[in-house]
Amino acid sequence: MSFDSIPQAELMKSVARRVSDKNLLHLVKMWLEAPVEETDARGRKQRTTRNKDTGRGTPQGAPISPLLSNLYMRRFILGWKTLGHERRLHAKIVNYADDFVICCHGTAQRAMTEMQAMMERLKLTVNMEKTRLCRVPWETFDFLGYTFGRLWSPRTGGAYLGMRPSQKSLRRLRESLHEETSRRWLWKTPQELAQTLNRQLVGWANYFCVGTVRQAWGSIDHYVFQRVRQWWCAKHKVRNRRDARFSDNYLYQQVGVVRLRDLKPRLSCAQACVTGPRAGCGKTARPVR
């Protein structure tokens, strides 16, 4: 489901069932119809009123959009249970804002058909490019930055169902770290660079702390070490990138860059329980089969 496909009239009815203040309702309606500034392929900025003209959609990137999306998606979640699809198809919905997964066993095609019929009744558009049937454990799927499916234990070699940070999430983080360690930031001190990197690394690790994360964290540690080494050599005009002055002790102890594999033991259960039960205690979270 897309933010752009939510019918505003039906959405306002859902809001009005919970909010009686007419002034607040008016503000929400104005927010939905507010013009949006977009940049075209040539870099030119233009204002559009697409949401107001079509009567559909919520502003992309607006803080209130996920809340409104969850509010309208509740109609789909309740309808799925009220019509008996959850019980009859043994299909449970897991959603966040406009993203959702239907977990079922042997009834995937029927669940897909019922979901599309309900979305049509709710006047919502399903993004078919991102919608597919996935047979776990033979296939994997991505949801909220994680990849769910069959994994193998590096210690025993045994297979198990679990989740790990997706390749797309890792690629986005590497791109951000690459930008922060480019030559344009050579004017920074190593400590200033470390503060910038640590904010990203700790924030990323606080979210991706559930499931099997050791390999992903190790790959990010290696990438950060190589990128900061290149930045340090460029700053000090050192040709030999294996200079002994740049060591693990210098990077992590003196400069103060965070090493992710040192963070994991300090993640508390309270932090991890936001996303999964007992995930911070080293347990492997397993999705519903």
Side-chain angles (χ1 to χ4, degrees), residues 198 200-206 209 213 217 221 257-268 271 280:
N198 289 347
Q200 293 192 42
L201 293 172
V202 173
W204 188 85
N206 282 340
C209 64
V213 298
W217 282 20
D221 284 339
V257 175
V258 168
R259 182 159 49 184
L260 296 184
R261 64 172 177 264
D262 294 337
L263 286 178
K264 189 172 183 180
R266 294 200 296 267
L267 287 174
S268 65
Q271 291 174 311

Side-chain angles (χ1 to χ4, degrees), residues 9-284:
E10 284 76 5
L11 174 60
M12 289 304 301
K13 290 181 181 179
S14 297
V15 177
R17 293 192 184 100
R18 297 161 176 83
V19 179
S20 59
D21 189 338
K22 63 179 182 180
N23 294 321
L24 181 57
L25 292 174
H26 180 64
L27 286 175
V28 173
K29 186 176 181 180
M30 290 176 60
W31 196 316
L32 294 175
E33 298 177 349
V36 178
E37 187 176 85
E38 298 178 339
T39 303
D40 59 17
R42 298 183 179 180
R44 298 175 300 183
K45 294 183 178 181
Q46 54 183 353
R47 292 167 62 88
T48 63
T49 57
R50 182 178 62 250
N51 291 345
K52 182 178 181 180
D53 297 338
T54 61
R56 303 176 71 90
T58 61
Q60 290 284 349
I64 200 175
S65 292
L67 174 61
L68 296 177
S69 177
N70 270 317
L71 184 61
Y72 195 72
M73 274 292 293
R74 190 170 183 270
R75 300 180 66 180
F76 170 67
I77 304 298
L78 291 179
W80 186 265
K81 296 179 180 179
T82 303
L83 295 176
H85 297 325
E86 181 178 82
R87 181 182 66 259
R88 178 166 48 86
L89 302 177
H90 303 285
K92 184 177 180 180
I93 298 177
V94 180
N95 81 295
Y96 178 80
D98 60 339
D99 292 329
F100 65 93
V101 173
I102 302 178
C103 303
C104 50
H105 185 73
T107 57
Q109 188 60 58
R110 294 168 59 192
M112 173 80 79
T113 303
E114 296 293 349
M115 180 272 293
Q116 292 175 338
M118 289 188 62
M119 287 295 178
E120 185 175 352
R121 291 176 58 186
L122 292 172
K123 301 181 181 180
L124 295 174
T125 302
V126 179
N127 189 340
M128 298 308 299
E129 294 182 358
K130 298 181 180 180
T131 303
R132 67 184 181 94
L133 295 178
C134 178
R135 299 184 180 276
V136 179
W138 299 276
E139 297 177 299
T140 61
F141 67 93
D142 292 348
F143 183 54
L144 302 182
Y146 281 91
T147 296
F148 295 83
R150 176 183 288 167
L151 302 175
W152 284 266
S153 171
R155 183 163 53 89
T156 64
Y160 63 94
L161 290 179
M163 57 185 180
R164 66 181 186 275
S166 67
Q167 292 300 317
K168 185 176 181 180
S169 301
L170 292 170
R171 183 172 64 252
R172 285 179 177 176
L173 179 61
R174 290 192 184 101
E175 290 174 353
S176 179
L177 295 173
H178 186 279
E179 170 61 24
E180 294 297 340
T181 53
S182 62
R183 289 177 176 267
R184 60 182 297 204
W185 304 112
L186 292 180
W187 57 269
K188 286 186 175 182
T189 65
Q191 287 71 24
E192 290 175 337
L193 179 68
Q195 291 178 0
T196 302
L197 296 179
N198 289 347
R199 283 195 294 268
Q200 293 192 42
L201 293 172
V202 173
W204 188 85
N206 282 340
Y207 180 78
F208 291 100
C209 64
V210 182
T212 304
V213 298
R214 185 181 298 274
Q215 183 177 0
W217 282 20
S219 68
I220 294 300
D221 284 339
H222 178 74
Y223 184 80
V224 169
F225 185 85
Q226 297 300 325
R227 285 300 302 173
V228 178
R229 176 189 290 275
Q230 294 177 23
W231 175 90
W232 183 85
C233 291
K235 180 179 179 66
H236 296 283
K237 299 181 181 179
V238 177
R239 292 187 177 181
N240 182 12
R241 294 186 176 179
R242 297 187 179 276
D243 194 295
R245 290 175 294 175
F246 191 91
S247 61
D248 287 5
N249 180 71
Y250 173 77
L251 179 64
Y252 300 120
Q253 301 297 327
Q254 299 184 41
V255 177
V257 175
V258 168
R259 182 159 49 184
L260 296 184
R261 64 172 177 264
D262 294 337
L263 286 178
K264 189 172 183 180
R266 294 200 296 267
L267 287 174
S268 65
C269 294
Q271 291 174 311
C273 283
V274 174
T275 5
R278 296 191 60 80
C281 303
K283 302 295 183 181
T284 301

